[in-house]
Amino acid sequence: MKTENFSLFNPVPKANMREMETDRPDVTESPYTVDAGHIQFETDVVRFIKEKDEIVQTNTLLINQMNLKIGLTNNTAIQIGFQSYGKMHEKELDSDTEEITSGHGDLTFRLKQNLIGNNKGDFALAVLPYIKLPISKYDRESRFEGGVIVPMSYKFAGEWKLGLQVEVDRLKDKDQPAMHTEFLQTLTISHPLTKHVDWIAETYYTYDFKAHHFSNFLNAAIQVEIFNDFKLDAGLNYGLQDSADKHFFFGASYRL
């Protein structure tokens, strides 16, 4: 059977599908795509984010920050991201001024193209451009953002897996409506704890070219396969600097 003939309207048979790979729970994306003609739903069921700069402290609660992935061809998948609900609490550090906003979040479109190793081999590489549309109700300063992500992974003996990612983004400044360019690089390692439980350890940094500022993060997560094609996960992304974000999350992934 020739896998290159599969498409959105000619799905890969269930028996021929690749092992389920997710873009979560770590920051490092997977270089593998969803099989042609199939759908994969991934979400932060709940995510709490703490941010702090010289002026404002911000706490954000996100509910169902989802990513819907659709396999178009054997090596190409489109992704649609949407934040169902967010609540943002901002407090100025030098006063009692507070602001609370809530509502749905932004809409994101991504296209993942695997370049190497989608179906065989230990090394895989993909490119993942994206654009974010600023339709958020809770983040009133949201702007058009976009970037290009290049994830890769290598499978070692003994079920060890190494993940790497480089990324260039055009993002909104935190303290004003202007934009800046940011570079991100990750390194992650994962290994099964048991047959159905994986642990993930990760480090990454971002560099703001406008502010000439580094932020460094240490991340940890666990992912549990509840049954075939359904996984739950939980973890944290911990910024080491006072100004770096701190994320705490619980999520899920399901493939059809």
Side-chain angles (χ1 to χ4, degrees):
M1 187 174 296
K2 296 183 178 180
T3 57
E4 60 265 22
N5 293 329
F6 296 133
S7 68
L8 179 63
F9 303 106
N10 180 29
V12 175
K14 199 81 172 177
N16 294 68
M17 293 174 67
R18 294 185 290 267
E19 180 181 349
M20 181 183 178
E21 291 275 353
T22 62
D23 285 324
R24 57 173 307 110
D26 50 354
V27 172
T28 307
E29 308 279 350
S30 167
Y32 300 94
T33 62
V34 178
D35 290 275
H38 293 271
I39 295 173
Q40 190 162 308
F41 178 80
E42 302 179 12
T43 181
D44 278 334
V45 177
V46 178
R47 178 176 289 259
F48 180 69
I49 306 171
K50 298 179 65 175
E51 303 173 82
K52 183 180 178 181
D53 58 27
E54 297 177 353
I55 302 173
V56 178
Q57 178 175 309
T58 304
N59 293 332
T60 305
L61 174 67
L62 300 177
I63 305 295
N64 189 34
Q65 186 174 231
M66 54 154 282
N67 186 20
L68 180 65
K69 304 158 68 173
I70 305 169
L72 301 181
T73 71
N74 197 53
N75 295 312
T76 307
I78 190 171
Q79 303 183 3
I80 303 169
F82 183 66
Q83 297 169 357
S84 296
Y85 178 80
K87 184 177 182 180
M88 181 182 290
H89 179 198
E90 294 182 312
K91 184 180 185 303
E92 294 186 8
L93 299 178
D94 59 353
S95 72
D96 293 328
T97 303
E98 295 182 88
E99 183 179 11
I100 298 176
T101 56
S102 62
H104 65 73
D106 294 315
L107 182 65
T108 304
F109 293 98
R110 313 199 312 175
L111 183 70
K112 182 184 289 187
Q113 177 64 50
N114 178 272
L115 303 176
I116 301 172
N118 215 21
N119 299 296
K120 61 181 180 180
D122 294 325
F123 177 74
L125 170 71
V127 61
L128 180 58
Y130 76 92
I131 185 170
K132 188 190 78 173
L133 306 183
I135 64 170
S136 176
K137 292 295 186 181
Y138 75 85
D139 185 0
R140 296 173 181 173
E141 297 183 356
S142 180
R143 296 289 185 273
F144 279 100
E145 294 180 340
V148 178
I149 304 167
V150 181
M152 59 199 83
S153 71
Y154 190 86
K155 296 177 181 178
F156 292 92
E159 297 186 89
W160 288 93
K161 184 185 293 184
L162 179 70
L164 299 163
Q165 179 173 304
V166 293
E167 178 177 344
V168 178
D169 305 294
R170 188 66 177 166
L171 305 175
K172 180 187 74 68
D173 293 353
K174 286 186 178 181
D175 56 351
Q176 56 186 341
M179 304 291 290
H180 68 275
T181 300
E182 193 165 287
F183 179 77
L184 178 149
Q185 185 173 16
T186 73
L187 174 66
T188 183
I189 189 168
S190 62
H191 189 270
L193 282 176
T194 67
K195 183 178 180 181
H196 299 291
V197 180
D198 290 340
W199 64 263
I200 301 104
E202 182 180 49
T203 181
Y204 77 94
Y205 72 88
T206 62
Y207 180 71
D208 182 336
F209 285 94
K210 183 178 181 180
H212 306 290
H213 178 70
F214 279 98
S215 294
N216 303 88
F217 298 79
L218 289 177
N219 308 332
I222 191 167
Q223 188 173 55
V224 181
E225 184 180 44
I226 304 302
F227 53 81
N228 194 35
D229 293 333
F230 179 64
K231 298 181 179 182
L232 296 177
D233 61 68
L236 60 88
N237 305 335
Y238 195 84
L240 301 183
Q241 291 87 358
D242 287 342
S243 60
D245 306 350
K246 279 78 173 172
H247 295 234
F248 308 88
F249 61 86
F250 168 73
S253 303
Y254 181 64
R255 182 173 69 171
L256 296 174

